[in-house]
Amino acid sequence: MTGIIIAVAIHVLAVIWWIGGLAFVSCSFLPALRQGAFGSQQDAFRAVERRFGLQARVAILLVGASGLYMVAIQHWWPLFGMAKFWWLSGMFAYWLLFMVMLFILGPSGVLKKIMKGSGGDEARAWQRMHHMHLVLLLIGIVIIIGGLMGNHSL
């Protein structure tokens, strides 16, 4: 039982770090950046990204490892196919999306191209990035609430 308690603690703390960082970026940093509070938007974004990027990657890896451990130890595999445990599949899909964004699309430059779009309008690109972060945050909050409410069924 100690292993599962440690896994839950790691999982919850890593989710708090990850989603808390997403909330900060979405609700505080990007709005201030778009209003010109930091001078050069590119320089400010790179500075924050350098500092938080590694933290987010570590949190994502910890969430994945602890989540996989809990699913394996508790034999929750069949729950992924049950509608009442939608949040479990949602957590996995959300985690997988961030894994792809942070470990593949970001480092390869694809994410940057997506954010810039084809028009080259920098203000529009920052707006697009801000909206994407807000949507991802909202999805994460819905999944977390679903997990908290549905967890009593386990």
Side-chain angles (χ1 to χ4, degrees), residues 18 60 90-102 104:
W18 164 26
I60 294 288
M91 284 180 186
F92 175 72
Y94 191 70
W95 172 83
L96 187 60
L97 174 65
F98 273 85
M99 281 290 291
V100 169
M101 287 190 323
L102 294 178
I104 298 170

PDB file of all heavy atoms in Angstrom, residues 18 60 90-102 104:
ATOM      1  N   TRP A  18       2.388  21.082 -13.056  1.00  0.00           N
ATOM      2  CA  TRP A  18       2.129  21.192 -14.492  1.00  0.00           C
ATOM      3  C   TRP A  18       0.946  22.111 -14.776  1.00  0.00           C
ATOM      4  O   TRP A  18       1.072  23.100 -15.514  1.00  0.00           O
ATOM      5  CB  TRP A  18       1.904  19.784 -15.031  1.00  0.00           C
ATOM      6  CG  TRP A  18       1.276  19.621 -16.370  1.00  0.00           C
ATOM      7  CD1 TRP A  18       1.291  20.505 -17.418  1.00  0.00           C
ATOM      8  CD2 TRP A  18       0.540  18.487 -16.830  1.00  0.00           C
ATOM      9  NE1 TRP A  18       0.599  19.969 -18.503  1.00  0.00           N
ATOM     10  CE2 TRP A  18       0.144  18.739 -18.158  1.00  0.00           C
ATOM     11  CE3 TRP A  18       0.187  17.284 -16.249  1.00  0.00           C
ATOM     12  CZ2 TRP A  18      -0.595  17.823 -18.900  1.00  0.00           C
ATOM     13  CZ3 TRP A  18      -0.526  16.372 -16.999  1.00  0.00           C
ATOM     14  CH2 TRP A  18      -0.916  16.649 -18.306  1.00  0.00           C
ATOM     15  N   ILE A  60       5.532  16.332 -16.457  1.00  0.00           N
ATOM     16  CA  ILE A  60       4.813  15.451 -17.387  1.00  0.00           C
ATOM     17  C   ILE A  60       5.323  14.007 -17.261  1.00  0.00           C
ATOM     18  O   ILE A  60       4.535  13.053 -17.245  1.00  0.00           O
ATOM     19  CB  ILE A  60       4.984  15.948 -18.847  1.00  0.00           C
ATOM     20  CG1 ILE A  60       4.307  17.292 -19.046  1.00  0.00           C
ATOM     21  CG2 ILE A  60       4.492  14.921 -19.853  1.00  0.00           C
ATOM     22  CD1 ILE A  60       2.826  17.259 -19.056  1.00  0.00           C
ATOM     23  N   GLY A  90      -9.609  10.575 -20.485  1.00  0.00           N
ATOM     24  CA  GLY A  90      -9.329  11.993 -20.707  1.00  0.00           C
ATOM     25  C   GLY A  90      -7.973  12.395 -20.162  1.00  0.00           C
ATOM     26  O   GLY A  90      -7.219  13.133 -20.810  1.00  0.00           O
ATOM     27  N   MET A  91      -7.638  11.899 -18.976  1.00  0.00           N
ATOM     28  CA  MET A  91      -6.322  12.195 -18.394  1.00  0.00           C
ATOM     29  C   MET A  91      -5.203  11.671 -19.288  1.00  0.00           C
ATOM     30  O   MET A  91      -4.215  12.361 -19.533  1.00  0.00           O
ATOM     31  CB  MET A  91      -6.182  11.544 -17.012  1.00  0.00           C
ATOM     32  CG  MET A  91      -6.916  12.227 -15.919  1.00  0.00           C
ATOM     33  SD  MET A  91      -6.611  11.314 -14.372  1.00  0.00           S
ATOM     34  CE  MET A  91      -7.718  12.180 -13.292  1.00  0.00           C
ATOM     35  N   PHE A  92      -5.393  10.452 -19.771  1.00  0.00           N
ATOM     36  CA  PHE A  92      -4.353   9.869 -20.626  1.00  0.00           C
ATOM     37  C   PHE A  92      -4.212  10.654 -21.928  1.00  0.00           C
ATOM     38  O   PHE A  92      -3.091  10.976 -22.345  1.00  0.00           O
ATOM     39  CB  PHE A  92      -4.652   8.395 -20.928  1.00  0.00           C
ATOM     40  CG  PHE A  92      -3.676   7.810 -21.896  1.00  0.00           C
ATOM     41  CD1 PHE A  92      -2.367   7.554 -21.511  1.00  0.00           C
ATOM     42  CD2 PHE A  92      -4.049   7.562 -23.204  1.00  0.00           C
ATOM     43  CE1 PHE A  92      -1.444   7.044 -22.419  1.00  0.00           C
ATOM     44  CE2 PHE A  92      -3.137   7.050 -24.118  1.00  0.00           C
ATOM     45  CZ  PHE A  92      -1.830   6.785 -23.720  1.00  0.00           C
ATOM     46  N   ALA A  93      -5.326  10.987 -22.555  1.00  0.00           N
ATOM     47  CA  ALA A  93      -5.274  11.732 -23.820  1.00  0.00           C
ATOM     48  C   ALA A  93      -4.647  13.112 -23.619  1.00  0.00           C
ATOM     49  O   ALA A  93      -3.837  13.567 -24.435  1.00  0.00           O
ATOM     50  CB  ALA A  93      -6.676  11.863 -24.420  1.00  0.00           C
ATOM     51  N   TYR A  94      -5.005  13.776 -22.525  1.00  0.00           N
ATOM     52  CA  TYR A  94      -4.466  15.101 -22.206  1.00  0.00           C
ATOM     53  C   TYR A  94      -2.958  15.012 -21.963  1.00  0.00           C
ATOM     54  O   TYR A  94      -2.185  15.808 -22.474  1.00  0.00           O
ATOM     55  CB  TYR A  94      -5.191  15.626 -20.969  1.00  0.00           C
ATOM     56  CG  TYR A  94      -4.962  17.078 -20.639  1.00  0.00           C
ATOM     57  CD1 TYR A  94      -5.490  18.085 -21.431  1.00  0.00           C
ATOM     58  CD2 TYR A  94      -4.266  17.444 -19.494  1.00  0.00           C
ATOM     59  CE1 TYR A  94      -5.312  19.415 -21.105  1.00  0.00           C
ATOM     60  CE2 TYR A  94      -4.088  18.764 -19.157  1.00  0.00           C
ATOM     61  CZ  TYR A  94      -4.613  19.752 -19.965  1.00  0.00           C
ATOM     62  OH  TYR A  94      -4.444  21.063 -19.638  1.00  0.00           O
ATOM     63  N   TRP A  95      -2.551  14.017 -21.182  1.00  0.00           N
ATOM     64  CA  TRP A  95      -1.134  13.795 -20.912  1.00  0.00           C
ATOM     65  C   TRP A  95      -0.385  13.515 -22.221  1.00  0.00           C
ATOM     66  O   TRP A  95       0.682  14.085 -22.464  1.00  0.00           O
ATOM     67  CB  TRP A  95      -0.975  12.622 -19.934  1.00  0.00           C
ATOM     68  CG  TRP A  95       0.441  12.204 -19.745  1.00  0.00           C
ATOM     69  CD1 TRP A  95       1.361  12.757 -18.904  1.00  0.00           C
ATOM     70  CD2 TRP A  95       1.111  11.143 -20.437  1.00  0.00           C
ATOM     71  NE1 TRP A  95       2.572  12.105 -19.036  1.00  0.00           N
ATOM     72  CE2 TRP A  95       2.435  11.113 -19.969  1.00  0.00           C
ATOM     73  CE3 TRP A  95       0.717  10.228 -21.406  1.00  0.00           C
ATOM     74  CZ2 TRP A  95       3.365  10.193 -20.431  1.00  0.00           C
ATOM     75  CZ3 TRP A  95       1.638   9.307 -21.876  1.00  0.00           C
ATOM     76  CH2 TRP A  95       2.951   9.303 -21.384  1.00  0.00           C
ATOM     77  N   LEU A  96      -0.964  12.663 -23.063  1.00  0.00           N
ATOM     78  CA  LEU A  96      -0.330  12.318 -24.335  1.00  0.00           C
ATOM     79  C   LEU A  96      -0.181  13.545 -25.235  1.00  0.00           C
ATOM     80  O   LEU A  96       0.860  13.731 -25.879  1.00  0.00           O
ATOM     81  CB  LEU A  96      -1.136  11.228 -25.045  1.00  0.00           C
ATOM     82  CG  LEU A  96      -0.526  10.627 -26.303  1.00  0.00           C
ATOM     83  CD1 LEU A  96       0.819   9.982 -26.011  1.00  0.00           C
ATOM     84  CD2 LEU A  96      -1.493   9.606 -26.904  1.00  0.00           C
ATOM     85  N   LEU A  97      -1.196  14.391 -25.263  1.00  0.00           N
ATOM     86  CA  LEU A  97      -1.118  15.633 -26.042  1.00  0.00           C
ATOM     87  C   LEU A  97       0.054  16.485 -25.586  1.00  0.00           C
ATOM     88  O   LEU A  97       0.832  16.988 -26.408  1.00  0.00           O
ATOM     89  CB  LEU A  97      -2.434  16.414 -25.911  1.00  0.00           C
ATOM     90  CG  LEU A  97      -2.462  17.804 -26.551  1.00  0.00           C
ATOM     91  CD1 LEU A  97      -2.311  17.718 -28.057  1.00  0.00           C
ATOM     92  CD2 LEU A  97      -3.752  18.526 -26.171  1.00  0.00           C
ATOM     93  N   PHE A  98       0.214  16.650 -24.283  1.00  0.00           N
ATOM     94  CA  PHE A  98       1.332  17.448 -23.770  1.00  0.00           C
ATOM     95  C   PHE A  98       2.676  16.768 -24.013  1.00  0.00           C
ATOM     96  O   PHE A  98       3.674  17.450 -24.271  1.00  0.00           O
ATOM     97  CB  PHE A  98       1.134  17.772 -22.282  1.00  0.00           C
ATOM     98  CG  PHE A  98       0.327  19.012 -22.083  1.00  0.00           C
ATOM     99  CD1 PHE A  98      -1.052  18.970 -22.071  1.00  0.00           C
ATOM    100  CD2 PHE A  98       0.949  20.246 -21.926  1.00  0.00           C
ATOM    101  CE1 PHE A  98      -1.804  20.113 -21.900  1.00  0.00           C
ATOM    102  CE2 PHE A  98       0.211  21.402 -21.756  1.00  0.00           C
ATOM    103  CZ  PHE A  98      -1.173  21.336 -21.745  1.00  0.00           C
ATOM    104  N   MET A  99       2.712  15.448 -23.931  1.00  0.00           N
ATOM    105  CA  MET A  99       3.956  14.729 -24.256  1.00  0.00           C
ATOM    106  C   MET A  99       4.374  15.048 -25.688  1.00  0.00           C
ATOM    107  O   MET A  99       5.538  15.357 -25.954  1.00  0.00           O
ATOM    108  CB  MET A  99       3.768  13.213 -24.103  1.00  0.00           C
ATOM    109  CG  MET A  99       3.834  12.707 -22.688  1.00  0.00           C
ATOM    110  SD  MET A  99       5.489  12.790 -21.970  1.00  0.00           S
ATOM    111  CE  MET A  99       6.353  11.560 -22.920  1.00  0.00           C
ATOM    112  N   VAL A 100       3.424  14.974 -26.606  1.00  0.00           N
ATOM    113  CA  VAL A 100       3.713  15.250 -28.018  1.00  0.00           C
ATOM    114  C   VAL A 100       4.139  16.712 -28.195  1.00  0.00           C
ATOM    115  O   VAL A 100       5.128  17.004 -28.876  1.00  0.00           O
ATOM    116  CB  VAL A 100       2.498  14.904 -28.915  1.00  0.00           C
ATOM    117  CG1 VAL A 100       2.681  15.420 -30.328  1.00  0.00           C
ATOM    118  CG2 VAL A 100       2.262  13.402 -28.916  1.00  0.00           C
ATOM    119  N   MET A 101       3.414  17.632 -27.550  1.00  0.00           N
ATOM    120  CA  MET A 101       3.745  19.057 -27.700  1.00  0.00           C
ATOM    121  C   MET A 101       5.111  19.383 -27.107  1.00  0.00           C
ATOM    122  O   MET A 101       5.910  20.073 -27.739  1.00  0.00           O
ATOM    123  CB  MET A 101       2.675  19.934 -27.044  1.00  0.00           C
ATOM    124  CG  MET A 101       1.388  19.989 -27.823  1.00  0.00           C
ATOM    125  SD  MET A 101       0.175  21.218 -27.283  1.00  0.00           S
ATOM    126  CE  MET A 101       0.299  21.253 -25.535  1.00  0.00           C
ATOM    127  N   LEU A 102       5.397  18.899 -25.893  1.00  0.00           N
ATOM    128  CA  LEU A 102       6.627  19.284 -25.201  1.00  0.00           C
ATOM    129  C   LEU A 102       7.858  18.514 -25.645  1.00  0.00           C
ATOM    130  O   LEU A 102       8.971  19.019 -25.542  1.00  0.00           O
ATOM    131  CB  LEU A 102       6.446  19.141 -23.689  1.00  0.00           C
ATOM    132  CG  LEU A 102       5.446  20.093 -23.043  1.00  0.00           C
ATOM    133  CD1 LEU A 102       5.324  19.807 -21.555  1.00  0.00           C
ATOM    134  CD2 LEU A 102       5.847  21.537 -23.271  1.00  0.00           C
ATOM    135  N   ILE A 104       8.018  16.577 -28.779  1.00  0.00           N
ATOM    136  CA  ILE A 104       8.154  16.378 -30.225  1.00  0.00           C
ATOM    137  C   ILE A 104       7.916  17.684 -30.985  1.00  0.00           C
ATOM    138  O   ILE A 104       8.796  18.183 -31.676  1.00  0.00           O
ATOM    139  CB  ILE A 104       7.210  15.264 -30.730  1.00  0.00           C
ATOM    140  CG1 ILE A 104       7.560  13.929 -30.067  1.00  0.00           C
ATOM    141  CG2 ILE A 104       7.282  15.147 -32.259  1.00  0.00           C
ATOM    142  CD1 ILE A 104       6.567  12.819 -30.309  1.00  0.00           C
TER     143      ILE A 104
END
